[in-house]
Amino acid sequence: MSGGSGGATRLDWLAGEGGPLRGELSVPGDKSVSHRAVMLGALAEGVTRVTGFLEGEDTRATAAIFARLGVRIEAPGPGERQMHGVGLHGLRPAEGPLDCGNAGTGMRLLAGVLAGQGFDSTLVGDASLSRRPMNRVVDPLRRMGARIDTAPGGLPPLTIHGNNVLQGIDFELPVASAQVKSAVLLAGLYARGETRVREPHPTRDYTERMLAAFGWPIRFSPGQAVLSGGHRLRAAEVAVPADFSSAAFFLVAASVVPGSDLRLRRVGMNPRRTGLLQALQAMGADITVEPAGEQGGEPVADLRVRHARLRGIEVPEAWVPDMIDEFPALFAAAALAEGRTVVSGAAELRVKESDRIAAMATALRSLGARIDETPDGAVIEGGRLHGGEADSLGDHRIAMSLAIAAQRASGEVRIRDCANVATSFPGFVGLAAGAGFGLREAAAR
Ligand code: S3P
């Protein structure tokens, strides 16, 4: 079954026979930061200007939802948004369901925002999002006083009833999830008293940092955040840094393709995002980090990556949350490395846009890799890959990771169902081909 957004367009890629990757490139804006910039800009007082906004389907879906909730949003140019904030209590009800597309971040964070409104809303998503667990946000929000209906099994659609008095909560997250943490904190803006969130492992802290930048009093440190309701958000300027998760595909590709020497400009280096860098360096990658100051309150750096012989490693479980979106790319690196790579403590991968452990194991096996799945990870024996056909299951990160693996396969690889790459990385094929990837689009068979 396709998890692709809307499932309307089916697109395959033909990948392989790439040359060395060379030159300099900039990847698009950060998805997590772009979602949050739209949300806080909508709820702030005044005009928020966003630059570097990710023009992907996920983040555009979030912006379209706020437009339907009565927020005027202008797009003066690509990657630019002017959000005419309506204040914390200025959203208006929309007719019909609000479509989050493929975006788990959109749906989960919106659940927190909408729980605090004076009207009812229904959140829907595409086939993939409709299979993803929502009780992780619904349970704490209900404990705060929200009334939310789900489909059986805690799946979308979510109907979020308005006109509830929310109470602050002291919530210990059962899984490390920035989305759950953020949903609870956003509901906390509307709650009486203090909302406190504790995490088993620290996760990305963009919500906390951006709330502070929008003038909301908040205390946070790795693994913990505390705020109280009853304040105001003030419009801000948000300069979205380039997405480390998008840069990750090039870090791996240039590492595995002989002769490569690639520079990635001004990549967001929030330490809660850069676990893959650590993992690749432990595998022997040749990556130089040249700090380039800050952008939008986030550290950014130019990254120079050259081909290197990679060795398999055991990925420490403590690194998992800092590289949660990068495992598909790591699996591709591991399949081409010398020796064995062991991933554990990563069961969350099974509830992403696809079951990413099963998706990568099946796809790489069909190209000749030796991989054993475990419930919370995989054991990957590095070696050679051959050409053939592999299915991305409509998951953007699986598609791009298979495109990397294909660069070192001995024959061409048809990667199925790739249209969904537009959710997070519009223009990937052009940028990758320009850097030297053997990669082109093909009509689905
Ligand atoms: C995100 C958090 C992560 C990540 C997702 C984006 C965010 O999900 O996988 O791509 O923007 O908060 P979890 O928090 O569910 O791990």
Side-chain angles (χ1 to χ4, degrees):
M1 198 199 314
S2 167
S5 64
T9 345
R10 297 198 58 118
L11 177 72
D12 290 354
W13 287 349
L14 296 175
E17 296 173 89
L21 306 185
R22 292 183 163 269
E24 260 190 60
L25 55 88
S26 303
V27 298
D30 189 280
K31 182 149 72 82
S32 295
V33 177
S34 297
H35 277 297
R36 288 158 172 82
V38 164
M39 292 183 188
L40 296 194
L43 300 175
E45 293 169 23
V47 180
T48 287
R49 287 185 182 77
V50 186
T51 52
F53 178 75
L54 171 64
E55 298 284 4
E57 288 171 3
D58 277 13
T59 43
R60 290 166 73 115
T62 294
I65 287 176
F66 280 98
R68 291 195 49 214
L69 294 168
V71 181
R72 186 148 69 90
I73 305 174
E74 289 151 354
E80 292 174 11
R81 290 295 183 280
Q82 284 190 172
M83 312 281 311
H84 295 258
V86 294
L88 217 53
H89 300 283
L91 297 178
R92 291 197 311 262
E95 281 284 309
L98 302 168
D99 189 354
C100 301
N102 191 238
T105 307
M107 185 173 280
R108 294 190 177 122
L109 271 60
L110 271 160
V113 171
L114 294 172
Q117 305 304 318
F119 53 83
D120 296 359
S121 320
T122 298
L123 294 173
V124 299
D126 70 2
S128 151
L129 183 53
S130 299
R131 292 191 291 266
R132 296 183 64 188
M134 292 297 146
N135 277 342
R136 52 181 57 202
V137 288
V138 169
D139 289 344
L141 294 175
R142 282 185 181 144
R143 279 177 51 194
M144 296 176 79
R147 280 182 303 131
I148 305 179
D149 306 325
T150 70
L155 298 178
L158 300 182
T159 295
I160 301 162
H161 299 279
N163 288 317
N164 297 298
V165 178
L166 301 185
Q167 292 292 341
I169 188 177
D170 186 344
F171 185 60
E172 192 157 345
L173 271 76
V175 286
S177 165
Q179 294 177 353
V180 177
K181 169 178 67 175
S182 300
V184 171
L185 290 174
L186 291 170
L189 305 185
Y190 293 91
R192 289 189 181 159
E194 193 174 89
T195 295
R196 179 184 294 265
V197 183
R198 304 166 210 265
E199 307 174 277
H201 294 284
T203 63
R204 64 193 72 188
D205 56 0
Y206 300 120
T207 304
E208 298 91 307
R209 292 161 82 115
M210 211 183 282
L211 282 169
F214 278 73
W216 197 281
I218 177 166
R219 283 179 285 135
F220 62 98
S221 54
Q224 207 181 144
V226 190
L227 56 72
S228 296
H231 301 281
R232 293 150 72 157
L233 292 168
R234 284 189 297 276
E237 309 269 321
V238 184
V240 181
D243 199 322
F244 183 89
S245 293
S246 296
F249 300 109
F250 291 96
L251 294 180
V252 174
S255 294
V256 299
V257 176
S260 296
D261 184 352
L262 194 64
R263 181 184 286 271
L264 300 162
R265 279 188 295 258
R266 299 186 65 78
V267 179
M269 297 294 288
N270 183 306
R272 300 278 74 85
R273 295 293 300 284
T274 50
L276 178 78
L277 185 61
Q278 226 171 330
L280 286 176
Q281 283 171 334
M283 293 173 82
D286 179 355
I287 302 173
T288 316
V289 179
E290 297 164 11
E294 284 202 348
Q295 191 161 324
E298 296 288 331
V300 294
D302 290 344
L303 303 177
R304 182 177 182 189
V305 50
R306 281 171 280 198
H307 168 67
R309 282 169 65 151
L310 301 185
R311 302 177 296 276
I313 58 164
E314 237 174 78
V315 180
E317 291 192 8
W319 294 4
V320 168
D322 293 349
M323 55 184 289
I324 192 66
D325 292 332
E326 279 58 76
F327 279 98
L330 179 90
F331 277 37
L336 294 164
E338 282 167 27
R340 168 181 296 184
T341 294
V342 182
V343 174
S344 61
E348 275 294 294
L349 295 175
R350 297 208 179 269
V351 290
K352 293 293 178 188
E353 285 84 327
S354 66
D355 174 343
R356 287 182 170 162
I357 297 173
M360 283 308 291
T362 307
L364 288 173
R365 250 186 242 126
S366 68
L367 304 178
R370 284 180 299 150
I371 304 185
D372 285 326
E373 279 185 50
T374 61
D376 66 345
V379 179
I380 304 155
E381 302 290 345
R384 291 175 187 280
L385 300 177
H386 54 66
E389 209 168 284
D391 199 336
S392 81
L393 302 174
D395 181 332
H396 54 135
R397 297 201 200 282
I398 303 295
M400 290 183 274
S401 301
L402 293 175
I404 299 169
Q407 301 311 306
R408 285 282 306 278
S410 58
E412 189 173 68
V413 179
R414 173 176 284 265
I415 307 169
R416 299 186 63 88
D417 205 0
C418 299
N420 227 23
V421 168
T423 58
S424 72
F425 202 149
F428 174 76
V429 170
L431 203 62
F437 268 68
L439 184 63
R440 62 188 200 279
E441 296 182 343
R445 278 205 299 238

